[in-house]
Structure formats: C-alpha cells, structure tokens
Amino acid sequence: MPTVTLMQAAGHPAADIVQITVQPMGVVLTGLAGGPLRFTCTNVQATIQAATEATITYTGPVGGHTETLAVSSVQS
C-alpha cells in the first residue's frame, strides 16, 4: 500500500474526508486510511508517484469544504 505524505497535516483524518485527488495527474486515492499527515491508499504506486499536490474534500461534521496541500513524498 502506498503512503502519501503531505508537507503539512490535513485539517482532519481520513474518517472526515470524502476524497483526495492528487495532482497533476488528477487521480483519486482509493482505500484511503490514516491521516492527517500520512495517508495510505490502494492505488498502484506508479500512477501516483509524481504527485505534487493533494486536493482534499471534507464532509460530515467538519463541513463540505476543500483544501489543497503540497505532497512531500509517495512511498510504498
């Protein structure tokens, strides 16, 4: 399972996130877990390796808003 590490912690953990889309590829992370700094996913690492930003969409008790954070690394 790849781990996506952000440059700064997301505002909330995976339980409050509807979707994370990594850029510039526009790939939506699947099987999301963890957070708020490191998230694991079930995507094939080669499809997300070059990620430079993550657009995070929140839901539930934290409201439906988004934030974009820089990606530090993508590791297996």
Tab-separated table of all heavy atoms in Angstrom:
chain	number	residue	atom	x	y	z
A	1	MET	N	0.838	-1.184	0.000
A	1	MET	CA	0.000	0.000	0.000
A	1	MET	C	0.879	1.242	0.000
A	1	MET	O	1.700	1.417	0.897
A	1	MET	CB	-0.888	0.036	1.242
A	1	MET	CG	-1.953	-1.029	1.308
A	1	MET	SD	-2.945	-0.888	2.811
A	1	MET	CE	-4.159	0.272	2.257
A	2	PRO	N	0.700	2.097	-0.984
A	2	PRO	CA	1.461	3.347	-0.991
A	2	PRO	C	1.063	4.265	0.163
A	2	PRO	O	-0.077	4.243	0.630
A	2	PRO	CB	1.099	3.985	-2.327
A	2	PRO	CG	0.581	2.886	-3.166
A	2	PRO	CD	-0.059	1.932	-2.209
A	3	THR	N	2.015	5.067	0.594
A	3	THR	CA	1.768	6.087	1.613
A	3	THR	C	2.068	7.448	0.997
A	3	THR	O	3.156	7.674	0.474
A	3	THR	CB	2.674	5.869	2.840
A	3	THR	OG1	2.374	4.597	3.401
A	3	THR	CG2	2.449	6.958	3.881
A	4	VAL	N	1.074	8.335	1.072
A	4	VAL	CA	1.230	9.698	0.593
A	4	VAL	C	1.456	10.575	1.824
A	4	VAL	O	0.616	10.613	2.727
A	4	VAL	CB	-0.019	10.167	-0.178
A	4	VAL	CG1	0.119	11.623	-0.593
A	4	VAL	CG2	-0.263	9.273	-1.394
A	5	THR	N	2.599	11.239	1.879
A	5	THR	CA	2.931	12.127	2.993
A	5	THR	C	2.804	13.568	2.522
A	5	THR	O	3.351	13.939	1.482
A	5	THR	CB	4.358	11.864	3.504
A	5	THR	OG1	4.467	10.488	3.868
A	5	THR	CG2	4.680	12.739	4.706
A	6	LEU	N	2.080	14.364	3.302
A	6	LEU	CA	1.873	15.765	2.969
A	6	LEU	C	2.934	16.632	3.637
A	6	LEU	O	3.526	16.236	4.640
A	6	LEU	CB	0.481	16.208	3.431
A	6	LEU	CG	-0.694	15.388	2.883
A	6	LEU	CD1	-2.001	15.855	3.522
A	6	LEU	CD2	-0.761	15.491	1.368
A	7	MET	N	3.146	17.826	3.104
A	7	MET	CA	4.111	18.768	3.681
A	7	MET	C	3.616	19.325	5.012
A	7	MET	O	4.411	19.682	5.868
A	7	MET	CB	4.370	19.924	2.720
A	7	MET	CG	5.066	19.478	1.450
A	7	MET	SD	6.783	19.073	1.698
A	7	MET	CE	7.518	20.661	1.519
A	8	GLN	N	2.304	19.411	5.164
A	8	GLN	CA	1.695	19.826	6.427
A	8	GLN	C	0.470	18.973	6.642
A	8	GLN	O	-0.087	18.413	5.699
A	8	GLN	CB	1.331	21.307	6.422
A	8	GLN	CG	0.154	21.651	5.518
A	8	GLN	CD	-0.132	23.138	5.513
A	8	GLN	OE1	0.723	23.922	5.151
A	8	GLN	NE2	-1.332	23.508	5.891
A	9	ALA	N	0.060	18.845	7.876
A	9	ALA	CA	-1.070	17.984	8.211
A	9	ALA	C	-2.367	18.532	7.628
A	9	ALA	O	-2.611	19.740	7.635
A	9	ALA	CB	-1.203	17.855	9.726
A	10	ALA	N	-3.182	17.614	7.137
A	10	ALA	CA	-4.529	17.977	6.690
A	10	ALA	C	-5.332	18.420	7.904
A	10	ALA	O	-4.984	18.109	9.054
A	10	ALA	CB	-5.190	16.776	6.023
A	11	GLY	N	-6.407	19.122	7.648
A	11	GLY	CA	-7.225	19.630	8.737
A	11	GLY	C	-7.929	18.551	9.537
A	11	GLY	O	-8.286	18.774	10.688
A	12	HIS	N	-8.092	17.337	8.938
A	12	HIS	CA	-8.848	16.267	9.586
A	12	HIS	C	-8.326	14.917	9.110
A	12	HIS	O	-7.714	14.826	8.053
A	12	HIS	CB	-10.334	16.401	9.254
A	12	HIS	CG	-10.889	17.742	9.603
A	12	HIS	ND1	-11.262	18.083	10.878
A	12	HIS	CD2	-11.106	18.846	8.848
A	12	HIS	CE1	-11.694	19.334	10.892
A	12	HIS	NE2	-11.607	19.829	9.667
A	13	PRO	N	-8.603	13.829	9.859
A	13	PRO	CA	-8.176	12.489	9.457
A	13	PRO	C	-9.053	11.930	8.337
A	13	PRO	O	-10.066	12.523	7.954
A	13	PRO	CB	-8.318	11.667	10.743
A	13	PRO	CG	-9.406	12.358	11.494
A	13	PRO	CD	-9.241	13.827	11.185
A	14	ALA	N	-8.672	10.757	7.823
A	14	ALA	CA	-9.364	10.124	6.701
A	14	ALA	C	-10.856	9.924	6.954
A	14	ALA	O	-11.654	9.982	6.023
A	14	ALA	CB	-8.708	8.789	6.364
A	15	ALA	N	-11.255	9.710	8.195
A	15	ALA	CA	-12.666	9.479	8.508
A	15	ALA	C	-13.547	10.663	8.119
A	15	ALA	O	-14.741	10.498	7.854
A	15	ALA	CB	-12.828	9.183	9.997
A	16	ASP	N	-12.983	11.863	8.052
A	16	ASP	CA	-13.739	13.064	7.702
A	16	ASP	C	-13.519	13.502	6.257
A	16	ASP	O	-13.942	14.583	5.867
A	16	ASP	CB	-13.354	14.217	8.632
A	16	ASP	CG	-13.754	13.950	10.074
A	16	ASP	OD1	-14.799	13.316	10.296
A	16	ASP	OD2	-13.008	14.369	10.969
A	17	ILE	N	-12.847	12.668	5.475
A	17	ILE	CA	-12.511	13.029	4.098
A	17	ILE	C	-13.347	12.213	3.126
A	17	ILE	O	-13.448	10.997	3.237
A	17	ILE	CB	-11.012	12.797	3.837
A	17	ILE	CG1	-10.189	13.758	4.703
A	17	ILE	CG2	-10.670	12.957	2.362
A	17	ILE	CD1	-8.700	13.525	4.650
A	18	VAL	N	-13.951	12.915	2.175
A	18	VAL	CA	-14.713	12.261	1.118
A	18	VAL	C	-13.780	11.786	0.020
A	18	VAL	O	-13.922	10.690	-0.501
A	18	VAL	CB	-15.747	13.232	0.498
A	18	VAL	CG1	-16.431	12.618	-0.696
A	18	VAL	CG2	-16.749	13.668	1.512
A	19	GLN	N	-12.784	12.620	-0.309
A	19	GLN	CA	-11.934	12.316	-1.444
A	19	GLN	C	-10.626	13.097	-1.367
A	19	GLN	O	-10.611	14.239	-0.940
A	19	GLN	CB	-12.684	12.708	-2.715
A	19	GLN	CG	-11.949	12.554	-4.001
A	19	GLN	CD	-12.843	12.881	-5.184
A	19	GLN	OE1	-13.831	12.202	-5.400
A	19	GLN	NE2	-12.516	13.910	-5.918
A	20	ILE	N	-9.540	12.434	-1.793
A	20	ILE	CA	-8.272	13.116	-2.028
A	20	ILE	C	-7.901	12.865	-3.482
A	20	ILE	O	-7.839	11.714	-3.926
A	20	ILE	CB	-7.139	12.619	-1.111
A	20	ILE	CG1	-7.431	12.952	0.351
A	20	ILE	CG2	-5.807	13.234	-1.527
A	20	ILE	CD1	-6.349	12.508	1.324
A	21	THR	N	-7.674	13.949	-4.205
A	21	THR	CA	-7.245	13.863	-5.597
A	21	THR	C	-5.827	14.408	-5.678
A	21	THR	O	-5.567	15.524	-5.245
A	21	THR	CB	-8.166	14.700	-6.507
A	21	THR	OG1	-9.522	14.283	-6.310
A	21	THR	CG2	-7.789	14.533	-7.971
A	22	VAL	N	-4.911	13.579	-6.199
A	22	VAL	CA	-3.525	14.030	-6.314
A	22	VAL	C	-3.304	14.630	-7.696
A	22	VAL	O	-3.831	14.164	-8.696
A	22	VAL	CB	-2.511	12.910	-6.004
A	22	VAL	CG1	-2.538	12.549	-4.531
A	22	VAL	CG2	-2.739	11.680	-6.857
A	23	GLN	N	-2.519	15.713	-7.687
A	23	GLN	CA	-2.238	16.466	-8.906
A	23	GLN	C	-0.752	16.351	-9.217
A	23	GLN	O	0.031	16.151	-8.299
A	23	GLN	CB	-2.624	17.939	-8.691
A	23	GLN	CG	-4.033	18.169	-8.238
A	23	GLN	CD	-5.097	17.723	-9.236
A	23	GLN	OE1	-4.812	17.541	-10.415
A	23	GLN	NE2	-6.308	17.539	-8.771
A	24	PRO	N	-0.315	16.461	-10.428
A	24	PRO	CA	-1.056	16.937	-11.588
A	24	PRO	C	-1.818	15.850	-12.332
A	24	PRO	O	-2.443	16.131	-13.354
A	24	PRO	CB	0.043	17.517	-12.478
A	24	PRO	CG	1.235	16.666	-12.190
A	24	PRO	CD	1.114	16.315	-10.726
A	25	MET	N	-1.813	14.603	-11.852
A	25	MET	CA	-2.435	13.504	-12.588
A	25	MET	C	-3.956	13.509	-12.510
A	25	MET	O	-4.612	12.938	-13.354
A	25	MET	CB	-1.945	12.139	-12.071
A	25	MET	CG	-0.445	11.954	-12.108
A	25	MET	SD	0.335	12.844	-10.781
A	25	MET	CE	0.036	11.794	-9.427
A	26	GLY	N	-4.517	14.090	-11.456
A	26	GLY	CA	-5.959	14.068	-11.278
A	26	GLY	C	-6.481	12.710	-10.838
A	26	GLY	O	-7.630	12.366	-11.096
A	27	VAL	N	-5.647	11.933	-10.145
A	27	VAL	CA	-6.023	10.598	-9.700
A	27	VAL	C	-6.637	10.674	-8.303
A	27	VAL	O	-6.063	11.282	-7.395
A	27	VAL	CB	-4.795	9.650	-9.675
A	27	VAL	CG1	-5.145	8.304	-9.081
A	27	VAL	CG2	-4.230	9.491	-11.085
A	28	VAL	N	-7.798	10.043	-8.137
A	28	VAL	CA	-8.464	9.978	-6.836
A	28	VAL	C	-7.883	8.801	-6.059
A	28	VAL	O	-7.806	7.673	-6.575
A	28	VAL	CB	-9.991	9.806	-7.010
A	28	VAL	CG1	-10.670	9.604	-5.661
A	28	VAL	CG2	-10.577	11.001	-7.745
A	29	LEU	N	-7.456	9.059	-4.822
A	29	LEU	CA	-6.918	7.982	-3.988
A	29	LEU	C	-8.051	7.068	-3.541
A	29	LEU	O	-9.114	7.531	-3.136
A	29	LEU	CB	-6.195	8.561	-2.772
A	29	LEU	CG	-4.986	9.444	-3.069
A	29	LEU	CD1	-4.317	9.868	-1.760
A	29	LEU	CD2	-3.992	8.751	-3.984
A	30	THR	N	-7.810	5.759	-3.608
A	30	THR	CA	-8.804	4.769	-3.212
A	30	THR	C	-8.346	4.051	-1.943
A	30	THR	O	-7.153	4.005	-1.642
A	30	THR	CB	-9.021	3.738	-4.335
A	30	THR	OG1	-7.762	3.140	-4.672
A	30	THR	CG2	-9.617	4.389	-5.576
A	31	GLY	N	-9.292	3.499	-1.201
A	31	GLY	CA	-8.957	2.762	0.017
A	31	GLY	C	-8.241	3.618	1.027
A	31	GLY	O	-7.324	3.159	1.711
A	32	LEU	N	-8.657	4.856	1.143
A	32	LEU	CA	-7.975	5.855	1.969
A	32	LEU	C	-8.054	5.527	3.464
A	32	LEU	O	-9.099	5.174	3.978
A	32	LEU	CB	-8.622	7.219	1.705
A	32	LEU	CG	-7.891	8.446	2.190
A	32	LEU	CD1	-6.551	8.579	1.487
A	32	LEU	CD2	-8.741	9.669	1.925
A	33	ALA	N	-6.915	5.660	4.150
A	33	ALA	CA	-6.851	5.460	5.605
A	33	ALA	C	-5.746	6.334	6.164
A	33	ALA	O	-4.870	6.810	5.453
A	33	ALA	CB	-6.574	3.992	5.930
A	34	GLY	N	-5.807	6.548	7.479
A	34	GLY	CA	-4.758	7.287	8.167
A	34	GLY	C	-5.017	8.775	8.217
A	34	GLY	O	-6.151	9.214	8.295
A	35	GLY	N	-3.926	9.527	8.151
A	35	GLY	CA	-4.004	10.980	8.221
A	35	GLY	C	-3.746	11.457	9.632
A	35	GLY	O	-3.613	10.662	10.543
A	36	PRO	N	-3.621	12.711	9.845
A	36	PRO	CA	-3.780	13.790	8.884
A	36	PRO	C	-2.507	14.159	8.114
A	36	PRO	O	-2.565	14.984	7.212
A	36	PRO	CB	-4.242	14.962	9.742
A	36	PRO	CG	-3.612	14.731	11.075
A	36	PRO	CD	-3.540	13.229	11.234
A	37	LEU	N	-1.349	13.542	8.436
A	37	LEU	CA	-0.109	13.868	7.723
A	37	LEU	C	0.242	12.804	6.687
A	37	LEU	O	0.690	13.107	5.593
A	37	LEU	CB	1.053	14.035	8.710
A	37	LEU	CG	2.376	14.505	8.135
A	37	LEU	CD1	2.237	15.890	7.506
A	37	LEU	CD2	3.443	14.527	9.212
A	38	ARG	N	0.028	11.534	7.041
A	38	ARG	CA	0.324	10.406	6.146
A	38	ARG	C	-0.952	9.613	5.898
A	38	ARG	O	-1.618	9.209	6.841
A	38	ARG	CB	1.369	9.491	6.776
A	38	ARG	CG	2.728	10.105	6.844
A	38	ARG	CD	3.746	9.131	7.441
A	38	ARG	NE	5.024	9.772	7.600
A	38	ARG	CZ	5.385	10.453	8.684
A	38	ARG	NH1	4.561	10.565	9.706
A	38	ARG	NH2	6.570	11.030	8.734
A	39	PHE	N	-1.227	9.397	4.606
A	39	PHE	CA	-2.399	8.632	4.215
A	39	PHE	C	-1.962	7.411	3.427
A	39	PHE	O	-1.089	7.509	2.561
A	39	PHE	CB	-3.326	9.479	3.321
A	39	PHE	CG	-3.957	10.631	4.035
A	39	PHE	CD1	-3.341	11.862	4.057
A	39	PHE	CD2	-5.168	10.480	4.691
A	39	PHE	CE1	-3.917	12.942	4.713
A	39	PHE	CE2	-5.755	11.538	5.358
A	39	PHE	CZ	-5.132	12.780	5.367
A	40	THR	N	-2.547	6.262	3.722
A	40	THR	CA	-2.312	5.081	2.901
A	40	THR	C	-3.476	4.957	1.929
A	40	THR	O	-4.572	5.466	2.175
A	40	THR	CB	-2.200	3.795	3.745
A	40	THR	OG1	-3.395	3.624	4.507
A	40	THR	CG2	-0.992	3.847	4.673
A	41	CYS	N	-3.204	4.272	0.807
A	41	CYS	CA	-4.234	4.072	-0.207
A	41	CYS	C	-3.969	2.757	-0.919
A	41	CYS	O	-2.938	2.124	-0.714
A	41	CYS	CB	-4.257	5.238	-1.190
A	41	CYS	SG	-2.751	5.402	-2.178
A	42	THR	N	-4.909	2.365	-1.771
A	42	THR	CA	-4.767	1.111	-2.512
A	42	THR	C	-4.444	1.346	-3.985
A	42	THR	O	-4.445	0.401	-4.768
A	42	THR	CB	-6.043	0.261	-2.382
A	42	THR	OG1	-7.167	1.035	-2.836
A	42	THR	CG2	-6.276	-0.181	-0.943
A	43	ASN	N	-4.139	2.571	-4.357
A	43	ASN	CA	-3.772	2.869	-5.743
A	43	ASN	C	-2.440	2.197	-6.083
A	43	ASN	O	-1.618	1.953	-5.204
A	43	ASN	CB	-3.609	4.377	-5.957
A	43	ASN	CG	-4.888	5.129	-5.734
A	43	ASN	OD1	-5.340	5.267	-4.609
A	43	ASN	ND2	-5.477	5.620	-6.807
A	44	VAL	N	-2.234	1.946	-7.359
A	44	VAL	CA	-0.941	1.466	-7.839
A	44	VAL	C	0.046	2.628	-7.710
A	44	VAL	O	-0.234	3.734	-8.171
A	44	VAL	CB	-1.048	1.005	-9.308
A	44	VAL	CG1	0.319	0.624	-9.862
A	44	VAL	CG2	-2.032	-0.142	-9.429
A	45	GLN	N	1.175	2.375	-7.064
A	45	GLN	CA	2.115	3.456	-6.775
A	45	GLN	C	2.569	4.195	-8.035
A	45	GLN	O	2.707	5.416	-8.027
A	45	GLN	CB	3.323	2.944	-6.006
A	45	GLN	CG	4.252	4.089	-5.627
A	45	GLN	CD	5.312	3.709	-4.629
A	45	GLN	OE1	5.248	2.640	-4.052
A	45	GLN	NE2	6.257	4.575	-4.420
A	46	ALA	N	2.777	3.481	-9.115
A	46	ALA	CA	3.258	4.123	-10.350
A	46	ALA	C	2.289	5.194	-10.851
A	46	ALA	O	2.712	6.153	-11.495
A	46	ALA	CB	3.482	3.074	-11.432
A	47	THR	N	0.997	5.067	-10.538
A	47	THR	CA	0.008	6.040	-11.023
A	47	THR	C	-0.021	7.312	-10.190
A	47	THR	O	-0.589	8.309	-10.626
A	47	THR	CB	-1.409	5.437	-11.066
A	47	THR	OG1	-1.824	5.115	-9.739
A	47	THR	CG2	-1.467	4.203	-11.942
A	48	ILE	N	0.585	7.290	-8.995
A	48	ILE	CA	0.543	8.466	-8.114
A	48	ILE	C	1.928	8.952	-7.712
A	48	ILE	O	2.058	9.934	-6.991
A	48	ILE	CB	-0.308	8.183	-6.852
A	48	ILE	CG1	0.275	7.035	-6.021
A	48	ILE	CG2	-1.752	7.911	-7.234
A	48	ILE	CD1	-0.401	6.831	-4.676
A	49	GLN	N	2.987	8.287	-8.177
A	49	GLN	CA	4.361	8.577	-7.751
A	49	GLN	C	4.765	10.032	-7.959
A	49	GLN	O	5.484	10.601	-7.154
A	49	GLN	CB	5.339	7.659	-8.504
A	49	GLN	CG	6.774	7.797	-8.054
A	49	GLN	CD	6.981	7.370	-6.610
A	49	GLN	OE1	6.502	6.325	-6.203
A	49	GLN	NE2	7.667	8.184	-5.832
A	50	ALA	N	4.292	10.664	-9.017
A	50	ALA	CA	4.728	12.030	-9.354
A	50	ALA	C	3.845	13.106	-8.728
A	50	ALA	O	3.936	14.274	-9.102
A	50	ALA	CB	4.754	12.195	-10.863
A	51	ALA	N	3.027	12.750	-7.762
A	51	ALA	CA	2.110	13.719	-7.150
A	51	ALA	C	2.867	14.862	-6.485
A	51	ALA	O	3.860	14.647	-5.800
A	51	ALA	CB	1.222	13.029	-6.119
A	52	THR	N	2.377	16.084	-6.718
A	52	THR	CA	2.985	17.263	-6.109
A	52	THR	C	2.007	18.001	-5.197
A	52	THR	O	2.430	18.768	-4.336
A	52	THR	CB	3.488	18.250	-7.177
A	52	THR	OG1	2.396	18.618	-8.024
A	52	THR	CG2	4.590	17.616	-8.016
A	53	GLU	N	0.700	17.772	-5.392
A	53	GLU	CA	-0.337	18.399	-4.574
A	53	GLU	C	-1.463	17.417	-4.331
A	53	GLU	O	-1.680	16.507	-5.127
A	53	GLU	CB	-0.942	19.633	-5.272
A	53	GLU	CG	-0.043	20.822	-5.346
A	53	GLU	CD	-0.751	22.033	-5.939
A	53	GLU	OE1	-1.682	21.870	-6.744
A	53	GLU	OE2	-0.353	23.146	-5.571
A	54	ALA	N	-2.171	17.635	-3.234
A	54	ALA	CA	-3.344	16.831	-2.907
A	54	ALA	C	-4.507	17.773	-2.618
A	54	ALA	O	-4.393	18.645	-1.754
A	54	ALA	CB	-3.064	15.953	-1.696
A	55	THR	N	-5.596	17.603	-3.363
A	55	THR	CA	-6.813	18.367	-3.108
A	55	THR	C	-7.722	17.489	-2.262
A	55	THR	O	-8.116	16.402	-2.682
A	55	THR	CB	-7.513	18.766	-4.428
A	55	THR	OG1	-6.593	19.521	-5.205
A	55	THR	CG2	-8.760	19.589	-4.149
A	56	ILE	N	-8.013	17.958	-1.054
A	56	ILE	CA	-8.753	17.166	-0.067
A	56	ILE	C	-10.157	17.742	0.082
A	56	ILE	O	-10.315	18.946	0.296
A	56	ILE	CB	-8.027	17.193	1.291
A	56	ILE	CG1	-6.597	16.690	1.115
A	56	ILE	CG2	-8.785	16.375	2.323
A	56	ILE	CD1	-5.705	16.921	2.320
A	57	THR	N	-11.165	16.881	-0.039
A	57	THR	CA	-12.561	17.284	0.116
A	57	THR	C	-13.101	16.656	1.393
A	57	THR	O	-13.049	15.434	1.554
A	57	THR	CB	-13.411	16.832	-1.091
A	57	THR	OG1	-12.819	17.348	-2.280
A	57	THR	CG2	-14.844	17.323	-0.965
A	58	TYR	N	-13.602	17.493	2.286
A	58	TYR	CA	-14.119	17.047	3.579
A	58	TYR	C	-15.641	16.949	3.564
A	58	TYR	O	-16.309	17.572	2.753
A	58	TYR	CB	-13.709	18.025	4.687
A	58	TYR	CG	-12.231	18.119	4.877
A	58	TYR	CD1	-11.520	19.189	4.359
A	58	TYR	CD2	-11.537	17.137	5.569
A	58	TYR	CE1	-10.145	19.286	4.524
A	58	TYR	CE2	-10.159	17.219	5.734
A	58	TYR	CZ	-9.481	18.302	5.216
A	58	TYR	OH	-8.126	18.375	5.388
A	59	THR	N	-16.170	16.193	4.508
A	59	THR	CA	-17.616	16.041	4.646
A	59	THR	C	-17.981	15.879	6.108
A	59	THR	O	-17.151	16.005	6.984
A	59	THR	CB	-18.127	14.827	3.848
A	59	THR	OG1	-19.546	14.860	3.828
A	59	THR	CG2	-17.668	13.515	4.446
A	60	GLY	N	-19.244	15.537	6.334
A	60	GLY	CA	-19.703	15.204	7.676
A	60	GLY	C	-19.627	16.355	8.641
A	60	GLY	O	-19.908	17.499	8.286
A	61	PRO	N	-19.219	16.069	9.865
A	61	PRO	CA	-19.246	17.078	10.922
A	61	PRO	C	-18.298	18.256	10.685
A	61	PRO	O	-18.430	19.292	11.314
A	61	PRO	CB	-18.846	16.308	12.175
A	61	PRO	CG	-18.096	15.122	11.684
A	61	PRO	CD	-18.701	14.794	10.342
A	62	VAL	N	-17.352	18.105	9.771
A	62	VAL	CA	-16.409	19.195	9.533
A	62	VAL	C	-16.833	20.084	8.368
A	62	VAL	O	-16.141	21.030	8.016
A	62	VAL	CB	-14.967	18.663	9.311
A	62	VAL	CG1	-14.492	17.924	10.535
A	62	VAL	CG2	-14.884	17.798	8.078
A	63	GLY	N	-17.951	19.772	7.764
A	63	GLY	CA	-18.468	20.598	6.666
A	63	GLY	C	-17.893	20.224	5.321
A	63	GLY	O	-16.868	19.565	5.230
A	64	GLY	N	-18.567	20.612	4.261
A	64	GLY	CA	-18.151	20.263	2.907
A	64	GLY	C	-17.242	21.311	2.312
A	64	GLY	O	-17.681	22.164	1.564
A	65	HIS	N	-15.968	21.276	2.645
A	65	HIS	CA	-15.021	22.225	2.088
A	65	HIS	C	-13.795	21.486	1.562
A	65	HIS	O	-13.646	20.294	1.782
A	65	HIS	CB	-14.614	23.282	3.129
A	65	HIS	CG	-13.879	22.732	4.305
A	65	HIS	ND1	-14.507	22.113	5.358
A	65	HIS	CD2	-12.556	22.700	4.587
A	65	HIS	CE1	-13.595	21.730	6.242
A	65	HIS	NE2	-12.413	22.068	5.800
A	66	THR	N	-12.940	22.192	0.845
A	66	THR	CA	-11.727	21.581	0.302
A	66	THR	C	-10.498	22.375	0.721
A	66	THR	O	-10.601	23.546	1.097
A	66	THR	CB	-11.757	21.520	-1.239
A	66	THR	OG1	-11.795	22.840	-1.745
A	66	THR	CG2	-12.939	20.727	-1.750
A	67	GLU	N	-9.356	21.715	0.654
A	67	GLU	CA	-8.073	22.391	0.825
A	67	GLU	C	-7.060	21.686	-0.068
A	67	GLU	O	-7.193	20.498	-0.354
A	67	GLU	CB	-7.607	22.424	2.278
A	67	GLU	CG	-7.225	21.101	2.878
A	67	GLU	CD	-6.699	21.225	4.313
A	67	GLU	OE1	-6.175	22.277	4.701
A	67	GLU	OE2	-6.832	20.235	5.049
A	68	THR	N	-6.076	22.418	-0.523
A	68	THR	CA	-5.015	21.858	-1.356
A	68	THR	C	-3.696	22.003	-0.615
A	68	THR	O	-3.333	23.095	-0.192
A	68	THR	CB	-4.951	22.572	-2.722
A	68	THR	OG1	-6.214	22.404	-3.377
A	68	THR	CG2	-3.861	21.984	-3.586
A	69	LEU	N	-3.014	20.864	-0.451
A	69	LEU	CA	-1.750	20.839	0.282
A	69	LEU	C	-0.665	20.211	-0.585
A	69	LEU	O	-0.939	19.354	-1.424
A	69	LEU	CB	-1.896	20.032	1.568
A	69	LEU	CG	-2.936	20.537	2.572
A	69	LEU	CD1	-3.084	19.559	3.716
A	69	LEU	CD2	-2.540	21.908	3.096
A	70	ALA	N	0.565	20.618	-0.362
A	70	ALA	CA	1.700	20.063	-1.098
A	70	ALA	C	1.987	18.642	-0.622
A	70	ALA	O	1.876	18.325	0.566
A	70	ALA	CB	2.928	20.936	-0.899
A	71	VAL	N	2.392	17.786	-1.558
A	71	VAL	CA	2.789	16.409	-1.242
A	71	VAL	C	4.292	16.381	-1.012
A	71	VAL	O	5.072	16.904	-1.820
A	71	VAL	CB	2.401	15.457	-2.390
A	71	VAL	CG1	2.991	14.070	-2.174
A	71	VAL	CG2	0.887	15.376	-2.520
A	72	SER	N	4.705	15.773	0.085
A	72	SER	CA	6.119	15.627	0.408
A	72	SER	C	6.720	14.415	-0.304
A	72	SER	O	7.780	14.498	-0.897
A	72	SER	CB	6.292	15.499	1.913
A	72	SER	OG	7.623	15.180	2.233
A	73	SER	N	5.997	13.268	-0.215
A	73	SER	CA	6.517	12.048	-0.835
A	73	SER	C	5.400	11.038	-1.048
A	73	SER	O	4.345	11.113	-0.413
A	73	SER	CB	7.609	11.416	0.025
A	73	SER	OG	7.068	10.970	1.248
A	74	VAL	N	5.676	10.091	-1.953
A	74	VAL	CA	4.812	8.921	-2.174
A	74	VAL	C	5.726	7.722	-2.092
A	74	VAL	O	6.666	7.602	-2.861
A	74	VAL	CB	4.112	8.971	-3.549
A	74	VAL	CG1	3.263	7.728	-3.739
A	74	VAL	CG2	3.262	10.234	-3.684
A	75	GLN	N	5.484	6.853	-1.111
A	75	GLN	CA	6.352	5.687	-0.887
A	75	GLN	C	5.524	4.439	-0.744
A	75	GLN	O	4.357	4.486	-0.376
A	75	GLN	CB	7.179	5.895	0.374
A	75	GLN	CG	8.083	7.104	0.306
A	75	GLN	CD	8.830	7.343	1.593
A	75	GLN	OE1	8.423	6.910	2.654
A	75	GLN	NE2	9.955	8.030	1.501
A	76	SER	N	6.171	3.288	-1.017
A	76	SER	CA	5.470	2.018	-0.859
A	76	SER	C	5.727	1.445	0.515
A	76	SER	O	6.571	1.888	1.239
A	76	SER	CB	5.928	1.023	-1.907
A	76	SER	OG	7.313	0.809	-1.842
